[in-house]
Amino acid sequence: GCYRSNEVDGTHMLSGSINTFSDLQNQNNLLCLTQIELGNLGREEVTQAIMALLSIDDASQIQGLASICHRRTMGNPFFLLEFVKLLEEE
C-alpha cells in the first residue's frame, strides 16, 4: 500500500502496523517489507514532464508554463497532472 508520510505520525495506527511488519520481517524471511519515500519533483523534472505530456522537444518553449506549474503544485506529481488537465480544459 501507500500513504503520505506527512499525514502519518508515530501515533497513527498505520505506524504501529508498519512497526509490527518490520519486526516480523526481522524475525523471519517470509515477509518482505520495502519502504520507499518519494519527494516532490524539482523544476527540471516538472519541465520534463510537461514536455512529455505536450510532446514538445524544446524546453525553452514551455519554461514559463513549467515555472507556473511548479509553483502552483510545489512539484507534487499528482497535483501537476491535475493542474495540467485543468489548464487543458480551460
Side-chain angles (χ1 to χ4, degrees), residues 14-52:
L14 181 58
S15 292
S17 297
I18 291 171
N19 291 336
T20 301
F21 289 137
S22 284
D23 291 344
L24 287 172
Q25 180 179 4
N26 292 335
Q27 292 172 6
N28 61 51
N29 291 330
L30 298 177
L31 178 69
C32 181
L33 178 68
T34 303
Q35 290 182 288
I36 301 172
E37 189 168 331
L38 303 175
N40 290 341
L41 301 175
R43 190 172 305 242
E44 181 61 30
E45 289 87 7
V46 168
T47 300
Q48 291 173 359
I50 293 174
M51 287 174 62

Side-chain angles (χ1 to χ4, degrees), residues 54-67:
L54 301 178
S55 300
I56 295 175
D57 293 330
D58 185 5
S60 65
Q61 292 180 332
I62 55 131
Q63 283 302 322
L65 175 61
S67 179

Side-chain angles (χ1 to χ4, degrees), residues 3 6 37 61 76 82 84-85 87:
Y3 63 95
N6 64 332
E37 189 168 331
Q61 292 180 332
N76 181 305
E82 292 300 308
V84 170
K85 286 178 193 176
L87 292 175

